[in-house]
Amino acid sequence: MPFQCGVLNPPVPKPLRFWKIGRALRKAIESYPEDIKVAIAGTGGLSHQVHGERCGFINTPWDMEFLERLEKDPEGLTKVTIAEYAKLGGMEGAEVVMWLLMRGALSNKVKKLHQTYYVPSMTAISSVIFEDDSVDPVTETNEQFRTRMMTQYAGIEKLEGTYPYVIERSVKAFRLNRFLHSLIKPEFRKQFLADPTPLFEQHKLTAQERELVMKRDWRALMHYGVIFFLLEKFAAVVGTTNLHVYAAMRGQSLEDFMKTRNTQVLYSVAGNDDSKKTWDPPAAKA
């Protein structure tokens, strides 16, 4: 799961902010209901600068100090400003604060298993592997954390006909959502419309997931956990408008649903192709 971080164009976060994001990420991972293994990767080159008269700057002593402190005193690195990081490691070398995010997601004490360092050209490159090496104090249980995390959603489960995209739904429908997201690729769409079976096999969809897709059962797809924005793209691919999907969600005919709208307009994320706005296709056969 990529986590994009920017430090080269102001305004930029403080290094402490990156550290805190890492700590929050750790709590989120620990609160996950299943026992899984997780690897956190911090990316970005060490000392380097690729612009101006300082172009080609490398500071190996600072790189070694940074790696040592990253292991043993990471919170001390949060007190270094971006300007100081640029002075010590080059302007673009300030991106090492992303390593702080990674380190913040680990335990207070870590064990270094591996380290390499070399300067092949313009950027000092290092690979370091840490693993947790301490049991940190627990300030709140995982259940307390999950409750606090969901404070703004408290009571939302009582809204009839509403399906918040919580972690359980995300995990359950991940495979199917990834399949539908692949419809952004022209070759995938072409194969899907011609014969989706090979794609079903490739993405390891279950029998239930295949049936939901083949029947174009919009309401059941939403119940299962499909993200709506993927659902409307799927509808556009198979020639169904957004309004047809909305009506199906409510268990109404398109005519009855349109009676509840002021504007009688059909539209689709497919754009201006009228062929995708004028018909309600029959359910496809499984």
Side-chain angles (χ1 to χ4, degrees):
M1 182 184 70
F3 198 117
Q4 293 183 318
C5 310
V7 295
L8 300 180
N9 295 309
V12 299
K14 297 177 181 178
L16 179 61
R17 183 73 174 272
F18 288 89
W19 169 260
K20 288 183 175 180
I21 292 174
R23 301 310 289 170
L25 180 60
R26 179 178 182 82
K27 295 191 71 170
I29 292 170
E30 288 181 330
S31 72
Y32 189 71
E34 296 182 23
D35 185 13
I36 60 175
K37 291 184 178 181
V38 177
I40 309 293
T43 65
L46 294 182
S47 63
H48 68 287
Q49 184 157 322
V50 295
H51 78 277
E53 289 75 10
R54 207 180 182 215
C55 179
F57 176 83
I58 298 289
N59 186 351
T60 296
W62 161 245
D63 292 336
M64 295 298 103
E65 178 184 341
F66 174 81
L67 292 172
E68 180 77 7
R69 293 173 65 180
L70 185 69
E71 175 189 357
K72 299 177 180 178
D73 180 32
E75 290 191 73
L77 292 172
T78 67
K79 299 177 175 62
V80 182
T81 67
I82 297 298
E84 289 171 329
Y85 273 112
K87 178 181 178 180
L88 291 165
M91 186 63 199
E92 285 72 40
E95 67 191 18
V96 291
V97 293
M98 293 188 291
W99 292 40
L100 275 176
L101 193 159
M102 171 274 294
R103 182 64 179 86
L106 303 179
S107 59
N108 290 334
K109 181 182 177 183
V110 296
K111 179 188 299 183
K112 182 165 66 176
L113 304 179
H114 171 80
Q115 178 175 319
T116 62
Y117 178 88
Y118 64 112
V119 184
S121 179
M122 295 290 291
T123 304
I125 296 177
S126 177
S127 298
V128 183
I129 299 177
F130 297 131
E131 70 174 16
D132 286 354
D133 196 35
S134 64
V135 179
D136 300 339
V138 177
T139 57
E140 63 180 341
T141 66
N142 289 337
E143 185 58 38
Q144 289 171 330
F145 173 71
R146 284 193 291 267
T147 299
R148 180 166 62 84
M149 185 170 57
M150 297 297 290
T151 298
Q152 293 299 316
Y153 262 24
I156 204 169
E157 70 280 356
K158 298 177 182 178
L159 293 176
E160 186 177 353
T162 303
Y163 307 92
Y165 200 65
V166 295
I167 186 65
E168 291 80 10
R169 289 170 59 76
S170 173
V171 172
K172 175 186 176 183
F174 175 80
R175 181 176 47 246
L176 181 53
N177 278 312
R178 183 171 59 179
F179 175 86
L180 294 176
H181 182 265
S182 297
L183 289 169
I184 65 173
K185 304 173 185 177
E187 65 278 8
F188 191 97
R189 291 197 299 272
K190 183 178 180 180
Q191 175 65 58
F192 175 80
L193 293 173
D195 179 11
T197 302
L199 299 178
F200 290 158
E201 296 293 335
Q202 177 185 336
H203 284 256
K204 297 180 172 59
L205 296 195
T206 66
Q208 179 186 7
E209 291 166 343
R210 298 181 190 201
E211 183 179 15
L212 290 173
V213 170
M214 294 303 293
K215 286 188 174 181
R216 319 294 197 240
D217 192 335
W218 310 113
R219 181 191 282 188
L221 283 162
M222 179 61 66
H223 288 181
Y224 190 80
V226 171
I227 302 169
F228 173 76
F229 301 105
L230 296 179
L231 201 64
E232 66 174 348
K233 289 174 175 57
F234 172 37
V237 168
V238 298
T240 301
T241 73
N242 281 44
L243 283 301
H244 286 92
V245 175
Y246 300 149
M249 292 279 190
R250 291 161 61 105
Q252 294 179 309
S253 67
L254 177 64
E255 181 181 10
D256 287 341
F257 177 75
M258 295 300 283
K259 290 177 182 178
T260 68
R261 308 296 104 179
N262 291 327
T263 303
Q264 304 299 295
V265 176
L266 296 179
Y267 60 87
S268 165
V269 295
N272 297 321
D273 184 352
D274 289 336
S275 68
K276 295 187 180 298
K277 301 180 183 180
T278 58
W279 61 288
D280 191 359
K285 295 181 180 180

